[in-house]
Amino acid sequence: MKQQNAIGQFVCQVFVCPPEVGEQLLAHAQLRSYSTEVAIVRQGERIRQCYLLVAGRARAFLYTSAGQIVLLHEYRRGDIFGALGDPEAEAQDTDVIAQETVEALILQASQLALLAERHGCIGLALSRLLILRLRKATERIFERSGLSSVGRIHAELLRQAQLRPDFVISPLPVLADLALVVATTRETASRAVGALERRGIIRRDGNSLVIVAPHRLEEMIL
């Protein structure tokens, strides 16, 4: 019962809607868990569902014809992905893989579209979520075209550190993972992080990475 109430409150926060609207949405949703590294949706799969992340983190990967892996999006608590309103099954252009244990509310896209028509708060919330995703995608495109690979590493470290007021990234970033996020090699990521440590801009602290001088790091994003 406590979990149900907590999820209900969470849904109301995401969609900025009154409890009675949140209850309608929950009545058509199914809560499902996914283990780490499990595919939530597959590239090319045709689905009619959308997914609202309640807990955990997932990433959307695109595989090119040459076999290259491209990271397109990272989804966290409160993000939505999948089919969004099309009555026909949509072919997914990415794999969405759980990066840690994920809990997601699954809704039929047609049902979500119907609720959005009935309740303006849901439609507005969906618009805000999609605009935020577009803004993040635009930032990624700019960084990949306008910054050097080292500059992209600096930008990503600063972005992760800014999620907390103390500028601490925890757990310690995995270099291969950091390289994937910014579309560069692990060797480049290793050299960039090592150079920042030697200059005293970042510091390892147990299983965390502390950004000692965030303003200096920001100045190095070139």
Side-chain angles (χ1 to χ4, degrees), residues 148-170:
S148 66
S149 56
V150 173
R152 295 197 300 273
I153 292 167
H154 295 164
E156 181 60 27
L157 289 174
L158 186 61
R159 182 183 297 111
Q160 292 186 25
Q162 287 172 334
L163 296 175
R164 288 178 46 169
D166 54 2
F167 286 91
V168 173
I169 304 172
S170 183

Side-chain angles (χ1 to χ4, degrees), residues 17 27 31 50 63 75 96 106 120 122 148 152 156 168 216-217:
C17 62
L31 185 65
C50 63
Y63 302 91
Y75 302 115
V96 179
I106 306 175
I122 293 179
S148 66
R152 295 197 300 273
E156 181 60 27
V168 173
R216 289 181 62 193
L217 181 60

Side-chain angles (χ1 to χ4, degrees), residues 27-86:
H28 297 282
Q30 175 188 4
L31 185 65
R32 184 172 176 182
S33 296
Y34 299 87
S35 302
T36 305
E37 300 300 329
V38 167
I40 302 173
V41 298
R42 288 286 190 186
Q43 185 174 341
E45 182 181 5
R46 302 189 70 84
I47 65 171
R48 291 185 172 89
Q49 299 82 28
C50 63
Y51 300 77
L52 169 62
L53 251 64
V54 176
R57 183 170 54 92
R59 283 178 172 172
F61 297 99
L62 176 67
Y63 302 91
T64 68
S65 57
Q68 182 183 5
I69 302 175
V70 179
L71 174 62
L72 290 186
H73 301 290
E74 182 165 86
Y75 302 115
R76 296 178 180 271
R77 175 177 165 87
D79 286 334
I80 292 177
F81 58 89
L84 290 174
D86 194 326

Side-chain angles (χ1 to χ4, degrees), residues 128-139:
R128 284 193 293 268
L129 289 168
L130 292 175
I131 289 171
L132 179 60
R133 185 187 303 176
L134 178 61
R135 185 179 299 132
K136 289 180 178 179
T138 301
E139 288 176 359

